[in-house]
Amino acid sequence: MTLLESVGRFSIRQAEYIGRLAIQFWYCLRFSVRASPFQGRGLRWQRTLRQMGDIGVRSLPVLCLVSGATGMIMALQAGAELRRFGAMEAIVTMVGTTMTRELGPLMAAIVVIGRSGSAISAEVATMAVTEELDALRAMALDPIDFVLVPKYLAMLVMLPCLTVMSVFSGILAGGVFAYFTLDLTLLAYLSRTAEILLMRDIVSGLVKAVIFGSIIVHVSCLEGFTVSGGPVGVGHSTTSAVVKSIFLVVLADLLCTTFFYFFWR
């Protein structure tokens, strides 16, 4: 096989994968309309609430720990350089804006991928291997409606909430650093952070969280739906879901940041 053939086959496979993601996303949106509380039909709130607990509540402790450590590391590294220029006060601005715009949503997405995205892929793949998805189709239940939609709705609700907690944990860790190095009280630090943050910083972080959540749940479920090879395939699909989710989330972060930089200043 020549290099050109390899590149061509790889491009075709990736195009097919993006196409399957788009089709799955479209069907999910169609079924999600029925989950409106104003219609009262097609609601599976018990499954959705259970997924919200798995995705959000149980991910909160590790997310706060990771985000707090990230905020502290960022403050320490920036303080080492800013001290030479006598601009230690800039730590407040840097930590607040960076956590709100970039690191908060990204840390929340990565933690959810590692904890919940892999679990979603393994669950759906196991259902496919054990023919539970075929049983749903035999009972005239669409797997996208029965399996994907509750997870999608739960992710759309919980990932922005986790992003808020991630941002708060990172900023709070930066406040601990400012307290010991700048003699700045925590209340003064938080007040200063609230002053420098703009509405577009907060909105951009929440928009990214919604986009990241959609990517995570759809990639994880698609890898589970298309699993093959029995129990070994379950492991491969889980690994593939994590790798592809991280790649697409970082790529989406780049595209969103570029858009906000050029079109929303």
Side-chain angles (χ1 to χ4, degrees):
M1 183 182 300
T2 64
L3 177 62
L4 185 60
E5 290 176 339
S6 300
V7 174
R9 291 188 179 184
F10 176 79
S11 301
I12 292 174
R13 285 198 301 268
Q14 302 311 310
E16 290 177 349
Y17 187 82
I18 297 299
R20 289 197 297 267
L21 272 179
I23 294 173
Q24 178 180 276
F25 179 71
W26 169 246
Y27 277 105
C28 181
L29 287 181
R30 289 179 55 190
F31 286 120
S32 297
V33 173
R34 302 192 315 177
S36 171
F38 302 103
Q39 292 191 11
R41 295 182 304 166
L43 300 177
R44 293 189 176 88
W45 289 112
Q46 185 176 2
R47 294 175 59 85
T48 303
L49 291 175
R50 190 182 305 114
Q51 291 295 325
M52 290 172 66
D54 292 337
I55 294 171
V57 178
R58 297 182 181 179
S59 300
L60 189 58
V62 63
L63 175 62
C64 291
L65 181 61
V66 171
S67 299
T70 302
M72 181 64 72
I73 291 171
M74 183 167 53
L76 288 170
Q77 293 290 349
E81 297 299 324
L82 294 175
R83 183 180 289 110
R84 298 189 302 173
F85 301 98
M88 291 291 288
E89 293 78 7
I91 293 177
V92 180
T93 302
M94 191 197 71
V95 173
T97 55
T98 304
M99 288 299 304
T100 305
R101 295 178 185 176
E102 293 294 333
L103 290 183
L106 193 59
M107 289 295 102
I110 290 176
V111 169
V112 169
I113 289 172
R115 192 195 178 282
S116 300
S118 58
I120 290 173
S121 179
E123 176 188 348
V124 177
T126 303
M127 294 178 67
V129 169
T130 57
E131 300 181 352
E132 292 183 40
L133 298 181
D134 294 333
L136 291 176
R137 296 186 184 97
M139 293 185 292
L141 293 174
D142 195 306
I144 294 180
D145 185 19
F146 191 82
V147 178
L148 175 56
V149 170
K151 301 179 189 299
Y152 179 63
L153 296 177
M155 187 70 75
L156 289 185
V157 173
M158 295 311 298
L159 194 57
C161 296
L162 290 174
T163 298
V164 172
M165 294 305 301
S166 175
V167 171
F168 181 75
S169 299
I171 292 176
L172 192 62
V176 174
F177 176 81
Y179 176 79
F180 288 104
T181 58
L182 303 177
D183 294 330
L184 192 66
T185 64
L186 184 59
L187 182 60
Y189 173 84
L190 294 178
S191 299
R192 175 59 180 162
T193 302
E195 292 175 0
I196 58 100
L197 288 179
L198 301 177
M199 182 57 65
R200 67 167 178 254
D201 300 329
I202 301 173
V203 172
S204 64
L206 295 179
V207 169
K208 287 182 180 181
V210 172
I211 296 175
F212 295 167
S214 299
I215 292 173
I216 294 168
V217 72
H218 280 286
V219 170
S220 300
C221 286
L222 181 60
E223 291 296 327
F225 287 143
T226 57
V227 68
S228 60
V232 177
V234 175
H236 290 166
S237 101
T238 303
T239 303
S240 180
V242 171
V243 173
K244 291 180 180 178
S245 295
I246 292 177
F247 172 76
L248 291 177
V249 162
V250 173
L251 181 60
D253 187 29
L254 173 61
L255 296 177
C256 290
T257 301
T258 303
F259 175 83
F260 290 135
Y261 179 81
F262 286 106
F263 299 103
W264 192 16
R265 297 185 180 181

